[in-house]
Amino acid sequence: MAFRLKLGFYKKTCPSVEAIVKKETANIMSVAPTLAAPILRMHFHDCFVRGCDASILLNSTTNNQAEKDSFPNLSLRGYGSIDRVKSAVEKKCPGVVSCADILALVARDAVSFLNGASWPVPLGRRDGNVSNSTETLFNLPPPFFNITQLKASFASKGLNAKDLVVLSGGHTIGTSHCSSFTNRLYNFTGVGDSDPSLDSNYVARLKTRCSATDTTTLVEMDPGSFKTFDTEYYTLVAKRRGLFTSDAALLADSETRAYVTSHATPQGSKDFLKDFAKSMVKMGKIGVLTGSQGEIRKTCGFIN
């Protein structure tokens, strides 16, 4: 019989796990609210490579470059926060709660700390023993994907077009390095032009923030509201002001476009939070290890 994730998985073995995680996450968020987006992204990047097995948290070794050191993950941060939460849980229940479960819980609590959605997190994930940087390149959808590529990427993980447009809404709290979108500003087709699917006034504004070669500046994905988890992202995408090619791509498909336009209004926010919760639960179940598979890591960066 296959084990399934379930709510209250640690009811007997570590009943206070969710309270500990919530308290530690609230402490972290009150000092560093901008960590919510990278931690949400870390959970997503974990789940899309080998399933939600905390492979993203493993450190590289002399003879193995781990996922966290691959190009798409170099801008992730928040590993120290996950370690901090893990050690608080270890103090109370040593060797019981997996790093994969902790990452799933911290992602949820960080989002809800920003008045975002909250959702029940089914637990029971086990930690994987393999982390390979090249696997990120084949499994993580980059910011320059078009709608066909995005839908295929999500479908390969059991997620549909609705999950794609809903989870893209997580960009409401995101920031991005200029280098993830400067191709849309400066030399889109090789003749010094900009991407016609990006609002030209917005192009002009972004050029004042990012030179063509800038790799360090961070830009808010949802200017003015990047610390609140809301539907403002859809308003921007509908105005052709989504930062990435993959944001603009949501207008190129009838189903995803309909979702964007119906949520580009303040009224859309309540069912967005509900939809986001549902898609996050679905994403959190991708390729999980359960039962006696994998292990429960003592420290998230190292296999036991």
Side-chain angles (χ1 to χ4, degrees):
M1 175 197 117
F3 289 87
R4 306 249 316 266
L5 301 184
K6 62 175 200 206
L7 297 170
F9 179 84
Y10 297 107
K11 199 164 63 212
K12 293 194 170 67
T13 51
C14 190
S16 53
V17 59
E18 296 207 35
I20 298 169
V21 171
K22 190 174 186 169
K23 180 173 172 251
E24 288 294 325
T25 305
N27 290 341
I28 293 163
M29 286 299 119
S30 57
V31 185
T34 59
L35 276 178
I39 287 172
L40 176 61
R41 182 168 171 241
M42 189 188 293
H43 179 40
F44 156 49
H45 282 202
D46 181 33
C47 292
F48 266 53
V49 182
R50 290 191 167 264
C52 316
D53 67 342
S55 54
I56 185 94
L57 303 176
L58 285 173
N59 294 330
S60 294
T61 56
T62 344
N63 46 14
N64 179 62
Q65 191 182 39
E67 290 171 31
K68 62 161 64 164
D69 292 316
S70 69
F71 179 72
N73 288 329
L74 294 179
S75 55
L76 283 181
R77 46 197 189 92
Y79 295 106
S81 303
I82 303 300
D83 288 340
R84 173 178 160 176
V85 175
K86 170 71 169 166
S87 56
V89 172
E90 283 296 306
K91 262 198 203 85
K92 185 83 178 159
C93 322
V96 174
V97 182
S98 68
C99 295
D101 276 345
I102 285 172
L103 179 52
L105 288 168
V106 174
R108 187 262 318 262
D109 291 342
V111 166
S112 71
F113 186 84
L114 297 181
N115 303 326
S118 189
W119 55 92
V121 177
L123 299 168
R125 295 168 190 78
R126 310 260 302 170
D127 296 323
N129 293 335
V130 177
S131 183
N132 183 328
S133 66
T134 51
E135 293 185 357
T136 60
L137 304 172
F138 301 108
N139 288 286
L140 295 174
F144 50 78
F145 261 12
N146 66 31
I147 192 65
T148 312
Q149 295 167 309
L150 288 168
K151 283 165 75 172
S153 165
F154 274 62
S156 72
K157 308 294 171 193
L159 300 174
N160 59 29
K162 182 172 185 182
D163 298 312
L164 165 65
V165 66
V166 166
L167 293 171
S168 297
H171 286 170
T172 172
I173 54 170
T175 54
S176 164
H177 287 91
C178 291
S179 47
S180 293
F181 58 85
T182 40
N183 69 308
R184 302 184 72 199
L185 306 180
Y186 290 103
N187 205 8
F188 190 61
T189 63
V191 291
D193 54 342
S194 55
D195 181 348
S197 72
L198 191 56
D199 170 62
S200 55
N201 295 323
Y202 201 45
V203 169
R205 192 190 307 174
L206 290 170
K207 281 182 167 175
T208 66
R209 298 289 310 279
C210 299
S211 75
T213 52
D214 187 331
T215 55
T216 51
T217 305
L218 284 170
V219 175
E220 296 166 22
M221 298 192 74
D222 182 352
S225 108
F226 81 111
K227 283 186 186 163
T228 45
F229 200 91
D230 57 22
T231 51
E232 195 56 35
Y233 166 80
Y234 297 112
T235 311
L236 289 168
V237 171
K239 289 182 181 160
R240 301 191 309 131
R241 292 186 167 207
L243 214 43
F244 295 162
T245 298
S246 59
D247 296 317
L250 300 174
L251 295 175
D253 169 87
S254 57
E255 185 183 351
T256 54
R257 184 174 62 242
Y259 193 91
V260 169
T261 48
S262 69
H263 290 79
T265 61
Q267 295 79 359
S269 74
K270 206 146 129 202
D271 74 337
F272 164 62
L273 295 182
K274 229 174 21 227
D275 290 340
F276 192 81
K278 207 167 148 184
S279 290
M280 283 300 294
V281 171
K282 207 167 154 185
M283 185 184 86
K285 292 178 176 172
I286 296 172
V288 291
L289 302 173
T290 57
S292 58
Q293 300 170 302
E295 64 178 16
I296 305 295
R297 270 181 232 152
K298 289 184 177 59
T299 317
C300 292
F302 305 89
I303 51 185
N304 293 346

